[in-house]
Amino acid sequence: MKRYGREEVIVSANSRLTIAAHALTWISLYQRQGHQVATSEQIATSANTNPVVIRRLLGELRKAGLVESRRGVGAGWSLTRELESMTLLDVYEAVEPGSLFAMHRATPDQGCVIGYGIQPAMQRVYEDIEETLRRELARVTLEDVLRDVLAAPR
Amino acid sequence: MKRYGREEVIVSANSRLTIAAHALTWISLYQRQGHQVATSEQIATSANTNPVVIRRLLGELRKAGLVESRRGVGAGWSLTRELESMTLLDVYEAVEPGSLFAMHRATPDQGCVIGYGIQPAMQRVYEDIEETLRRELARVTLEDVLRDVLAAPR
DNA sequence: GCAGTCGTAACAACAAATGTTGCGATCAAG
DNA sequence: CTTGATCGCAACATTTGTTGTTACGACTGC
């Protein structure tokens, strides 16, 4: 008799896009309440993570021109433009480095018909899919996200 | 003066879908050449990986009903149906466990408006995107992939 | 100067994907 | 009914990426 089973719970995948959207909407809401800048400390408390994680992410968003930071006393982060003009695609491209799918780790056998042709074939499929993904992400603005967040039932 | 830089090359993302497509097209081509079954050893050689990796993947495809295996001498793998009737979505669902994006690792501050509403808001966005991804994957059959593979210029 | 906050390096903790070894189970062939 | 080929699967190693944490210098308003 064999003994299998072994339930597994998946916990991975990355939450960068989620956390980045969290940070941006948080900053925006805070600014709408009359504040100038938000600190990584405050955002980290809301997102239940470490301030350095937030600074790292916001640093990438700054490279993409979505936020800016001030240093010194009264330092912190602010948006460079309205949430309406930021899409999830902007955020995604700022914080997600690679592509969704990968090719073989080691080059497949180039002497084999399949090994030779599989990568270009899959590459084309993957490019199409990522293009579609980008189009979908571009359809959602951060303002949409904030509206949705505020609409959550209490 | 600060010293930064630190180029990084991304090498991750998973290749399961790629390897699974490789295996399926390989088996099909081999069967079209008159063979009954393909061994994990042969497929692993073509994909330049370890036979156990192939057996693991094919095991998941078998659960999904796409392939079957025989044991004993003259054992190996064969397709249960034509490549035309298998889509990349079938393969994707068989070998990719989780979802594309993740929520926060730790529950965000439920006392904060953003912390409270962000997860349902993002959840909805992510579900839409994955639905679109599935639609795209469903449009490509393994027969399409094989045709593309064979069309690669030598 | 001082205090508060960013910028960034360095490292620890954790998890997932992949690779590898080992061995029992299975079964066709002889 | 033994033999050899191959799968099934557990166990563990390796590599890589993500997230969390500590530390400390840089910056700047007061």
Side-chain angles (χ1 to χ4, degrees):
Chain A
M1 263 296 139
K2 254 307 133 80
R3 157 120 317 194
Y4 45 77
R6 158 174 156 70
E7 289 305 313
E8 287 192 34
V9 183
I10 310 306
V11 204
S12 88
N14 56 352
S15 55
R16 279 136 108 88
L17 187 56
T18 305
I19 305 291
H22 189 139
L24 289 171
T25 50
W26 201 96
I27 296 171
S28 177
L29 187 57
Y30 196 59
Q31 291 193 312
R32 287 175 200 200
Q33 290 167 351
H35 301 276
Q36 294 280 318
V37 298
T39 69
S40 60
E41 176 77 40
Q42 297 170 317
I43 301 167
T45 299
S46 170
N48 196 2
T49 181
N50 191 291
V52 177
V53 172
I54 299 297
R55 290 206 288 270
R56 275 203 290 242
L57 268 175
L58 288 177
E60 297 179 69
L61 295 179
R62 182 181 44 212
K63 279 187 214 150
L66 304 183
V67 300
E68 58 195 7
S69 61
R70 286 213 307 248
R71 304 176 74 169
V73 180
W77 303 83
S78 52
L79 303 181
T80 56
R81 42 185 165 106
E82 298 299 317
L83 283 191
E84 271 114 4
S85 70
M86 293 183 195
T87 70
L88 282 182
L89 177 59
D90 297 324
V91 183
Y92 177 79
E93 293 189 328
V95 304
E96 292 286 354
S99 46
L100 245 40
F101 302 105
M103 289 301 153
H104 312 60
R105 259 200 198 173
T107 309
D109 179 2
Q110 297 297 295
C112 163
V113 186
I114 304 287
Y116 182 81
I118 189 75
Q119 293 202 342
M122 295 306 289
Q123 192 63 54
R124 238 162 294 145
V125 174
Y126 292 159
E127 274 163 17
D128 283 358
I129 287 177
E130 295 192 13
E131 185 50 40
T132 305
L133 169 71
R134 278 192 286 276
R135 248 198 309 280
E136 284 290 303
L137 287 169
R139 289 179 46 211
V140 184
T141 69
L142 270 290
E143 183 67 34
D144 294 334
V145 174
L146 179 57
R147 188 183 327 112
D148 244 41
V149 168
L150 297 178
R154 287 310 277 196
Chain B
M1 264 297 142
K2 253 303 132 79
R3 157 120 317 195
Y4 46 79
R6 161 170 154 73
E7 290 305 313
E8 287 191 36
V9 184
I10 310 305
V11 205
S12 86
N14 55 350
S15 55
R16 279 136 111 83
L17 186 57
T18 305
I19 305 291
H22 189 139
L24 289 172
T25 51
W26 200 96
I27 296 171
S28 177
L29 187 57
Y30 196 60
Q31 289 192 312
R32 286 175 200 200
Q33 290 167 354
H35 302 276
Q36 294 279 321
V37 298
T39 69
S40 59
E41 176 77 39
Q42 296 170 317
I43 301 168
T45 299
S46 170
N48 196 3
T49 182
N50 192 293
V52 178
V53 172
I54 299 296
R55 289 206 288 268
R56 276 203 290 242
L57 269 175
L58 288 177
E60 298 178 69
L61 295 179
R62 181 182 43 212
K63 279 187 216 152
L66 304 182
V67 300
E68 57 194 9
S69 62
R70 287 212 306 248
R71 305 176 73 170
V73 179
W77 303 83
S78 52
L79 304 181
T80 56
R81 42 185 165 106
E82 296 301 316
L83 283 191
E84 271 114 4
S85 69
M86 295 183 194
T87 69
L88 284 182
L89 177 60
D90 296 325
V91 183
Y92 177 79
E93 293 189 329
V95 304
E96 293 286 352
S99 46
L100 244 41
F101 302 106
M103 290 299 155
H104 312 61
R105 258 200 200 174
T107 309
D109 179 3
Q110 297 297 294
C112 163
V113 186
I114 304 289
Y116 182 79
I118 189 74
Q119 293 202 343
M122 295 306 289
Q123 192 62 53
R124 237 163 294 144
V125 173
Y126 292 158
E127 275 164 15
D128 283 358
I129 287 177
E130 294 192 14
E131 185 50 40
T132 304
L133 169 70
R134 277 192 286 274
R135 247 198 310 279
E136 285 290 303
L137 287 169
R139 290 179 45 210
V140 184
T141 70
L142 271 289
E143 182 67 33
D144 295 333
V145 174
L146 179 57
R147 187 181 331 108
D148 243 41
V149 168
L150 297 178
R154 286 312 279 198

